[in-house]
Amino acid sequence: MTDALASSFATWLLGSALAALLTARFAWRRRRAPGAIPLTLLLLALAVWTLTYALHWLAAPPGPVFWLDATFFGVVAVPALVWRLTREFTQPGRPMTRLAWASLLAVPGLTWGLLLLGDPGGLLFGSGAAQDLHTRLAGGPWFRVVVLHSYALVGLSALALGQFWLRASGVYRWQAGVLLAGLCVPWGVNFVSVLGERPSPDFDLTPMLFMATALVFLWGLLGFRLFDLVPVARHLLVEQMGEGVVVLDAQERVVDLNAAARRLADPTRRSPIGRPAAEVFEHWSVALASRGGLDEGDTELTVDGRALEVRVSHLRDWRGHSQGQVIVWRDVTRQRRAEAALRQAHEQLQVRLAEIERLQAELREQSVRDPLTGLHNRRYLSGALEALRGQPFSVVLLDIDHFKGVNDSLGHAGGDAVLRAVAGHLAGAAQIGETVCRYGGEEFVVLLPGRGTDAALAWAEDWRQAIASRGVAVDGERVPVTLSLGIAAAPEHGTDPDRVLLAADGALYAAKEGGRNQCRVAPAPAPEGTSPEAPALECPP
């Protein structure tokens, strides 16, 4: 090779190194984006590779062989960084395990160690390495390990980027295409060179093509906002969802599922992928384990004591034929428990409100009831009279004769017993709609709606005779009791209920004055300008 050609080749390599460094600078500015740091390190490793190869062709001190061997510091780092870049781009946020890191860094680390130790025993470059002054495309046993490891990582990276490219759309697809093109072109040429198909035996074209790689990446950074717009990967959208997601094929086999779904799958099975859903979720209800009984749409199931809202969607091709289904469920156990607790609290509240209403009704009833006899009191009587305003009704006001003598002979307990007995008799004789009240002391009032004085007088006389003939029983002994009764009616004695009650009171007074144990009807009120009203009508005993 002429010195001029070697100089041109070295210049091209120096340009490639400079382009890689400039692109690394752009990538470093976006280092917070997934994949930006591996890309920066990858471009720096490419710069080391091309720069040391350029120094080899320039025969810089300490000599060409030194710089040719030094190229491997970058060579072995590039495949590992390619894989790391691809993984962060296609699966951002998913950490690598320790085993994955060890398998990724083991070969580069051991190779660097051999380089620093001067390649003892020719493990890396072999015994015939000195005969090849410009390339390191063949070597010892460790060289073969490096080659296999490098191409395995690059092949896996290309496969992952290709799959992502097929799934992605829009700008994300362009980003994946940029990475795929930038990585595959130089490595494809390198693969051909390793097989021995080279235009010139002295040239390793791989580092030359890294100039194109750097330019492609620069184009992606500026034109497609690479690492500014980072694709939202599956594990960020699906894997980290709190809802369970299961994808079934047309044979109801599990095609994919996220972490939330795995927690509800059968833990005894290592990998649920490809297994029938009924086996993966065999501890579930049959309806959720397979499609039987679980139609497309929304439903709610109870599984292992948990309430699940389930949505089933069919995956259909362009002809509308179902190719599988997606089952998404959300655990609503807490919500349902909260709703149940709320319903229980509501029911308890309703019970308490009903109890309060009952107690209030009892209090209202007690406020209008006489505690001794259980009859309504004067407070209730006022309201009952007001309700009858403008309607025909009669009032019977009665008094137990000589009640003071009863108290004196029987005591107050005996007197109370007599009052209760008379009250019971009056209440038992009253018909529906008629009101019996204790007016005060030994006086009682009976309201008879719709009755005139004649009907009221007949009713009162029946009462008086029944009480007078039987008396009342107190402690098993008969106590004679008689009643005096006054009767008035509306509208005969006025339309105002209070005036009618006052007229009945006057008739009661007349019955007492007339000898007691009798009924009196109040006289009709005299017209204005006439003589005083006639005496009350007497009902003889």
Side-chain angles (χ1 to χ4, degrees):
M1 176 182 293
T2 64
D3 292 340
L5 185 59
S7 178
S8 300
F9 185 48
T11 302
W12 181 272
L13 291 172
L14 290 175
S16 298
L18 180 61
L21 290 174
L22 291 175
T23 311
R25 182 185 177 189
F26 279 103
W28 180 250
R29 291 178 179 178
R30 295 161 175 80
R31 57 187 175 274
R32 294 187 177 181
I37 292 179
L39 175 59
T40 303
L41 296 176
L42 171 61
L43 292 169
L44 291 177
L46 293 176
V48 170
W49 188 351
T50 52
L51 179 60
T52 53
Y53 202 42
L55 294 174
H56 162 75
W57 280 102
L58 294 174
V65 175
F66 172 83
W67 292 114
L68 186 61
D69 292 345
T71 60
F72 268 72
F73 283 101
V75 169
V76 295
V78 167
L81 293 170
V82 166
W83 170 247
R84 185 60 188 159
L85 166 65
T86 302
R87 198 175 190 279
E88 285 206 14
F89 181 77
T90 58
Q91 303 177 20
R94 175 176 290 182
M96 289 178 58
T97 64
R98 292 181 179 179
L99 180 60
W101 276 112
S103 61
L104 183 66
L105 300 178
V107 172
L110 292 174
T111 303
W112 292 335
L114 290 175
L115 290 171
L116 293 174
L117 294 175
D119 188 21
L123 292 175
L124 182 58
F125 300 123
S127 59
Q131 298 176 1
D132 192 355
L133 298 179
H134 301 295
T135 60
R136 285 288 189 251
L137 300 178
W142 187 251
F143 181 85
R144 296 180 181 86
V145 174
V146 171
V147 170
L148 292 175
H149 182 263
S150 299
Y151 287 126
L153 290 177
V154 174
L156 290 174
S157 301
L159 180 61
L161 285 172
Q163 291 178 341
F164 185 88
W165 182 83
L166 291 174
R167 295 195 306 265
S169 60
V171 68
Y172 302 138
R173 193 170 193 178
W174 279 104
Q175 289 178 355
V178 167
L179 289 176
L180 192 59
L183 295 176
C184 288
V185 172
W187 281 103
V189 173
N190 179 263
F191 180 73
V192 173
S193 298
V194 170
L195 293 178
E197 300 295 332
R198 290 174 285 169
S200 173
D202 293 332
F203 288 134
D204 182 4
L205 298 178
T206 307
M208 295 180 62
L209 291 173
F210 279 125
M211 169 69 97
T213 297
L215 293 176
V216 168
F217 283 173
L218 183 61
W219 178 48
L221 287 170
L222 298 178
F224 296 104
R225 300 176 65 188
L226 188 64
F227 302 124
D228 283 343
L229 290 174
V230 180
V232 181
R234 170 194 176 279
H235 75 279
L236 291 179
L237 280 177
V238 178
E239 197 68 20
Q240 298 182 12
M241 289 174 58
E243 294 83 359
V245 180
V246 175
V247 181
L248 305 181
D249 62 11
Q251 287 74 41
E252 300 177 3
R253 295 173 300 192
V254 176
V255 176
D256 194 9
L257 73 169
N258 65 351
R262 291 189 188 96
R263 288 194 291 269
L264 294 182
D266 187 355
T268 62
R269 301 187 182 277
R270 293 183 178 179
S271 176
I273 304 300
R275 296 182 177 274
E279 293 182 7
V280 176
F281 303 104
E282 62 184 359
H283 64 293
W284 283 37
S285 64
V286 177
L288 189 58
S290 63
R291 191 170 56 188
L294 195 59
D295 297 328
E296 185 172 16
D298 297 340
T299 186
E300 185 168 320
L301 298 174
T302 300
V303 180
D304 294 343
R306 283 183 282 191
L308 301 177
E309 282 187 349
V310 183
R311 170 170 292 183
V312 180
S313 303
H314 286 286
L315 304 174
R316 303 183 185 277
D317 57 19
W318 62 275
R319 293 172 297 182
H321 298 163
S322 178
Q323 301 298 313
Q325 54 190 334
V326 178
I327 302 176
V328 181
W329 65 83
R330 182 168 66 97
D331 193 334
V332 293
T333 304
R334 291 185 179 180
Q335 178 181 343
R336 294 296 179 261
R337 288 175 179 173
E339 292 174 353
L342 184 61
R343 285 194 299 269
Q344 184 178 5
H346 178 72
E347 292 172 357
Q348 293 176 350
L349 180 60
Q350 293 300 316
V351 172
R352 292 179 181 177
L353 288 176
E355 180 66 13
I356 291 173
E357 292 178 356
R358 185 186 64 80
L359 293 175
Q360 289 177 341
E362 289 183 0
L363 289 175
R364 287 193 298 268
E365 187 66 16
Q366 290 176 4
S367 67
V368 294
R369 286 283 181 182
D370 173 56
L372 177 63
T373 62
L375 299 177
H376 288 109
N377 55 20
R378 292 185 68 169
R379 181 178 181 180
Y380 182 85
L381 176 65
S382 298
L385 286 172
E386 188 62 29
L388 292 173
R389 182 182 295 274
Q391 302 179 32
F393 66 92
S394 294
V395 175
V396 179
L397 183 61
L398 56 96
D399 182 89
I400 299 177
D401 296 332
H402 306 294
F403 187 71
K404 184 177 181 304
V406 174
N407 272 336
D408 292 342
S409 60
L410 301 179
H412 289 287
D416 290 345
V418 170
L419 290 174
R420 286 193 292 268
V422 173
H425 179 79
L426 295 175
Q431 298 180 7
I432 297 176
E434 299 174 346
T435 303
V436 181
C437 301
R438 185 181 179 191
Y439 196 60
E442 65 273 18
E443 293 183 337
F444 299 88
V445 176
V446 181
L447 298 182
L448 304 173
R451 297 198 185 190
T453 53
D454 293 339
L457 177 61
W459 185 91
E461 183 59 23
D462 290 341
W463 277 359
R464 184 192 68 79
Q465 291 181 8
I467 292 292
S469 61
R470 295 197 300 267
V472 296
V474 177
D475 295 334
E477 297 183 3
R478 179 180 177 277
V479 177
V481 173
T482 60
L483 304 175
S484 296
L485 303 94
I487 303 165
E492 291 91 338
H493 299 94
T495 56
D496 183 60
D498 291 335
R499 292 185 62 84
V500 176
L501 182 62
L502 183 62
D505 186 61
L508 173 60
Y509 181 78
K512 290 182 178 181
E513 289 294 318
R516 302 182 188 276
N517 191 23
Q518 58 183 280
C519 302
R520 289 290 181 96
V521 177
E528 294 184 3
T530 62
S531 58
E533 57 186 25
L537 179 62
E538 177 181 358
C539 178

